[in-house]
Amino acid sequence: MTSSFQFFTFPLCILLILHSSTTSTTLSQPTATAPPPTGPTNITKILEKASQYTVLLRLFRMTQLGDQINTQLNNSDQGITLFAPTDNAFSALKPGLLNSLSDQQKVELVQFHVVPMFLSTSQFQTVSNPLRTQAGDTTPYTFPLNITTNGNQVNISTGVVNATVANSIYTDGSLAVYQVDTVLLPMRMFGPPAPAPVPVPAKKSKKTNAGDDSPAADDGRVSADVSSGVGLNQNLLGFIVGPAVIVMSCL
Ligand SMILES: *[C@@H]1O[C@H](CO)[C@@H](O)[C@H](O)[C@H]1NC(C)=O
Ligand SMILES: *[C@@H]1O[C@H](CO)[C@@H](O)[C@H](O)[C@H]1NC(C)=O
Ligand SMILES: *[C@@H]1O[C@H](CO)[C@@H](O)[C@H](O)[C@H]1NC(C)=O
Ligand SMILES: *[C@@H]1O[C@H](CO)[C@@H](O)[C@H](O)[C@H]1NC(C)=O
Ligand SMILES: *[C@@H]1O[C@H](CO)[C@@H](O)[C@H](O)[C@H]1NC(C)=O
């Protein structure tokens, strides 16, 4: 009799399915709220394992931004995206460039490589430019960073350098680390200076005020003679760098 046979097997099937699904659940997730068994994400560990990031790791240590990223990853659900320049990328910078940066500039340079949100490769196609980095301001002459994509290719432009995202080193839905072969130099430090503001008619010059520290006088600009940057040199030609006029090499 077919009908009684079906009646008998149906609950048995359910039982088997229930049994197998509870078994697999307990195997893959010991408890629902426990953190992953590997412990909190450690950006230092990830970069050490990937090798070729010793300069970036040194900057992370110096600026303590490595610890900050780990804390942020643990405390926010936005996630983090890091553009990680290789040691070769740092080697391509003008010799002594990193050492010429102040502590604050080093912090800003590293922050410029950190986006305070998780971006998968496909999400690059829909980000709106300029993308906000941890360095903050994205207006021209500060820290704008633009992403352009074409299929799988992802390009970054800072207004000073162009870079291509070479490789995904790490991704877990919360942290994404991408290899870049160019150090992302922000406009604020390495680009042309912002055009001088329209002069104010009423000139109250030479007032010996204790706090009269003209921001235009020392805006921390650094000359960035990137070896491959022919266009860059042309861009920077003759701009005022700190107190001195530096005429960039190569014409
Ligand atoms: C992250 O990893 C580095 C090196 O692997 C280690 O020195 C550091 O203590 C770790 N940090 C945390 C918060 O576990
Ligand atoms: C991660 O956050 C939890 C609570 O949000 C805290 O108890 C824990 O100490 C944090 N771990 C690290 C490594 O910061
Ligand atoms: C990315 O840059 C490369 C060379 O720098 C260029 O050939 C390519 O067209 C760029 N792609 C996009 C999507 O901007
Ligand atoms: C970045 O994109 C914005 C908006 O499209 C544009 O106005 C700006 O000029 C771009 N900046 C750079 C450095 O490419
Ligand atoms: C970056 O790319 C843009 C457009 O692709 C180009 O106009 C600009 O000169 C490039 N900048 C540098 C520094 O190579």
Side-chain angles (χ1 to χ4, degrees), residues 221-240:
R221 208 157 294 281
V222 178
S223 108
D225 189 2
V226 182
S227 58
S228 61
V230 175
L232 176 68
N233 283 345
Q234 284 166 350
N235 286 344
L236 292 180
L237 243 187
F239 279 116
I240 295 174

mmCIF file of all heavy atoms in Angstrom, residues 221-240:
data_model
loop_
_atom_site.group_PDB
_atom_site.id
_atom_site.type_symbol
_atom_site.label_atom_id
_atom_site.label_comp_id
_atom_site.label_asym_id
_atom_site.label_seq_id
_atom_site.Cartn_x
_atom_site.Cartn_y
_atom_site.Cartn_z
ATOM 1 N N ARG A 221 54.484 71.526 3.136
ATOM 2 C CA ARG A 221 54.573 70.890 1.834
ATOM 3 C C ARG A 221 55.931 70.216 1.670
ATOM 4 O O ARG A 221 56.947 70.709 2.121
ATOM 5 C CB ARG A 221 54.374 71.936 0.758
ATOM 6 C CG ARG A 221 53.802 71.446 -0.524
ATOM 7 C CD ARG A 221 53.142 72.590 -1.259
ATOM 8 N NE ARG A 221 51.985 73.059 -0.526
ATOM 9 C CZ ARG A 221 50.811 72.438 -0.552
ATOM 10 N NH1 ARG A 221 50.651 71.346 -1.245
ATOM 11 N NH2 ARG A 221 49.809 72.904 0.138
ATOM 12 N N VAL A 222 55.925 69.098 1.008
ATOM 13 C CA VAL A 222 57.147 68.336 0.840
ATOM 14 C C VAL A 222 57.341 68.082 -0.638
ATOM 15 O O VAL A 222 56.389 67.804 -1.352
ATOM 16 C CB VAL A 222 57.041 66.991 1.585
ATOM 17 C CG1 VAL A 222 58.298 66.180 1.380
ATOM 18 C CG2 VAL A 222 56.775 67.212 3.049
ATOM 19 N N SER A 223 58.560 68.205 -1.091
ATOM 20 C CA SER A 223 58.775 67.933 -2.509
ATOM 21 C C SER A 223 58.806 66.435 -2.746
ATOM 22 O O SER A 223 59.451 65.689 -2.022
ATOM 23 C CB SER A 223 60.081 68.583 -2.973
ATOM 24 O OG SER A 223 61.071 67.633 -3.204
ATOM 25 N N ALA A 224 58.071 66.008 -3.742
ATOM 26 C CA ALA A 224 57.965 64.576 -4.009
ATOM 27 C C ALA A 224 58.518 64.268 -5.372
ATOM 28 O O ALA A 224 57.827 64.317 -6.371
ATOM 29 C CB ALA A 224 56.509 64.148 -3.934
ATOM 30 N N ASP A 225 59.785 63.978 -5.419
ATOM 31 C CA ASP A 225 60.412 63.684 -6.700
ATOM 32 C C ASP A 225 60.324 62.193 -6.950
ATOM 33 O O ASP A 225 61.270 61.450 -6.760
ATOM 34 C CB ASP A 225 61.874 64.159 -6.666
ATOM 35 C CG ASP A 225 62.506 64.077 -8.036
ATOM 36 O OD1 ASP A 225 61.805 63.701 -8.987
ATOM 37 O OD2 ASP A 225 63.705 64.388 -8.142
ATOM 38 N N VAL A 226 59.167 61.763 -7.356
ATOM 39 C CA VAL A 226 58.981 60.336 -7.631
ATOM 40 C C VAL A 226 59.701 59.992 -8.917
ATOM 41 O O VAL A 226 59.576 60.684 -9.913
ATOM 42 C CB VAL A 226 57.480 59.999 -7.745
ATOM 43 C CG1 VAL A 226 57.292 58.523 -7.973
ATOM 44 C CG2 VAL A 226 56.754 60.448 -6.510
ATOM 45 N N SER A 227 60.443 58.932 -8.893
ATOM 46 C CA SER A 227 61.310 58.619 -10.020
ATOM 47 C C SER A 227 60.547 58.466 -11.327
ATOM 48 O O SER A 227 60.994 58.869 -12.373
ATOM 49 C CB SER A 227 62.094 57.344 -9.723
ATOM 50 O OG SER A 227 61.194 56.293 -9.460
ATOM 51 N N SER A 228 59.355 57.885 -11.251
ATOM 52 C CA SER A 228 58.626 57.626 -12.480
ATOM 53 C C SER A 228 57.742 58.796 -12.873
ATOM 54 O O SER A 228 57.095 58.759 -13.898
ATOM 55 C CB SER A 228 57.756 56.377 -12.301
ATOM 56 O OG SER A 228 56.830 56.603 -11.261
ATOM 57 N N GLY A 229 57.725 59.830 -12.075
ATOM 58 C CA GLY A 229 56.702 60.858 -12.267
ATOM 59 C C GLY A 229 57.130 61.993 -13.167
ATOM 60 O O GLY A 229 57.345 63.106 -12.721
ATOM 61 N N VAL A 230 57.209 61.743 -14.474
ATOM 62 C CA VAL A 230 57.529 62.840 -15.385
ATOM 63 C C VAL A 230 56.422 63.884 -15.323
ATOM 64 O O VAL A 230 56.666 65.071 -15.188
ATOM 65 C CB VAL A 230 57.703 62.315 -16.822
ATOM 66 C CG1 VAL A 230 57.924 63.483 -17.781
ATOM 67 C CG2 VAL A 230 58.887 61.366 -16.879
ATOM 68 N N GLY A 231 55.174 63.398 -15.381
ATOM 69 C CA GLY A 231 54.039 64.317 -15.299
ATOM 70 C C GLY A 231 54.043 65.045 -13.962
ATOM 71 O O GLY A 231 53.722 66.219 -13.883
ATOM 72 N N LEU A 232 54.442 64.346 -12.948
ATOM 73 C CA LEU A 232 54.470 64.928 -11.614
ATOM 74 C C LEU A 232 55.451 66.079 -11.551
ATOM 75 O O LEU A 232 55.149 67.144 -11.028
ATOM 76 C CB LEU A 232 54.863 63.841 -10.615
ATOM 77 C CG LEU A 232 55.046 64.289 -9.175
ATOM 78 C CD1 LEU A 232 53.711 64.692 -8.592
ATOM 79 C CD2 LEU A 232 55.672 63.188 -8.361
ATOM 80 N N ASN A 233 56.650 65.848 -12.118
ATOM 81 C CA ASN A 233 57.656 66.899 -12.086
ATOM 82 C C ASN A 233 57.157 68.140 -12.795
ATOM 83 O O ASN A 233 57.376 69.247 -12.355
ATOM 84 C CB ASN A 233 58.944 66.411 -12.745
ATOM 85 C CG ASN A 233 59.718 65.491 -11.828
ATOM 86 O OD1 ASN A 233 59.432 65.442 -10.640
ATOM 87 N ND2 ASN A 233 60.662 64.756 -12.369
ATOM 88 N N GLN A 234 56.467 67.906 -13.906
ATOM 89 C CA GLN A 234 55.936 69.061 -14.628
ATOM 90 C C GLN A 234 54.887 69.770 -13.786
ATOM 91 O O GLN A 234 54.837 70.989 -13.753
ATOM 92 C CB GLN A 234 55.335 68.605 -15.962
ATOM 93 C CG GLN A 234 56.426 68.288 -16.982
ATOM 94 C CD GLN A 234 55.889 67.518 -18.172
ATOM 95 O OE1 GLN A 234 54.756 67.065 -18.140
ATOM 96 N NE2 GLN A 234 56.699 67.373 -19.200
ATOM 97 N N ASN A 235 54.087 68.976 -13.109
ATOM 98 C CA ASN A 235 53.061 69.574 -12.266
ATOM 99 C C ASN A 235 53.673 70.435 -11.171
ATOM 100 O O ASN A 235 53.136 71.472 -10.809
ATOM 101 C CB ASN A 235 52.211 68.489 -11.603
ATOM 102 C CG ASN A 235 51.263 67.853 -12.593
ATOM 103 O OD1 ASN A 235 51.044 68.412 -13.667
ATOM 104 N ND2 ASN A 235 50.721 66.706 -12.244
ATOM 105 N N LEU A 236 54.769 69.970 -10.631
ATOM 106 C CA LEU A 236 55.321 70.627 -9.455
ATOM 107 C C LEU A 236 56.324 71.708 -9.797
ATOM 108 O O LEU A 236 56.799 72.408 -8.934
ATOM 109 C CB LEU A 236 55.998 69.590 -8.557
ATOM 110 C CG LEU A 236 55.055 68.609 -7.892
ATOM 111 C CD1 LEU A 236 55.823 67.642 -7.032
ATOM 112 C CD2 LEU A 236 54.031 69.336 -7.054
ATOM 113 N N LEU A 237 56.664 71.814 -11.095
ATOM 114 C CA LEU A 237 57.716 72.738 -11.513
ATOM 115 C C LEU A 237 57.519 74.123 -10.915
ATOM 116 O O LEU A 237 56.503 74.775 -11.123
ATOM 117 C CB LEU A 237 57.700 72.853 -13.035
ATOM 118 C CG LEU A 237 58.957 72.370 -13.753
ATOM 119 C CD1 LEU A 237 58.866 72.707 -15.224
ATOM 120 C CD2 LEU A 237 60.196 72.945 -13.138
ATOM 121 N N GLY A 238 58.517 74.541 -10.194
ATOM 122 C CA GLY A 238 58.515 75.928 -9.784
ATOM 123 C C GLY A 238 57.566 76.279 -8.664
ATOM 124 O O GLY A 238 57.450 77.433 -8.306
ATOM 125 N N PHE A 239 56.894 75.290 -8.088
ATOM 126 C CA PHE A 239 56.041 75.642 -6.965
ATOM 127 C C PHE A 239 56.872 75.910 -5.720
ATOM 128 O O PHE A 239 57.966 75.380 -5.552
ATOM 129 C CB PHE A 239 55.034 74.539 -6.685
ATOM 130 C CG PHE A 239 53.866 74.599 -7.603
ATOM 131 C CD1 PHE A 239 53.622 73.572 -8.487
ATOM 132 C CD2 PHE A 239 53.036 75.700 -7.604
ATOM 133 C CE1 PHE A 239 52.559 73.630 -9.364
ATOM 134 C CE2 PHE A 239 51.971 75.762 -8.461
ATOM 135 C CZ PHE A 239 51.722 74.730 -9.346
ATOM 136 N N ILE A 240 56.333 76.730 -4.883
ATOM 137 C CA ILE A 240 57.076 77.082 -3.681
ATOM 138 C C ILE A 240 56.973 75.966 -2.660
ATOM 139 O O ILE A 240 55.893 75.501 -2.334
ATOM 140 C CB ILE A 240 56.531 78.388 -3.074
ATOM 141 C CG1 ILE A 240 56.797 79.535 -4.054
ATOM 142 C CG2 ILE A 240 57.149 78.661 -1.735
ATOM 143 C CD1 ILE A 240 56.178 80.830 -3.646
#
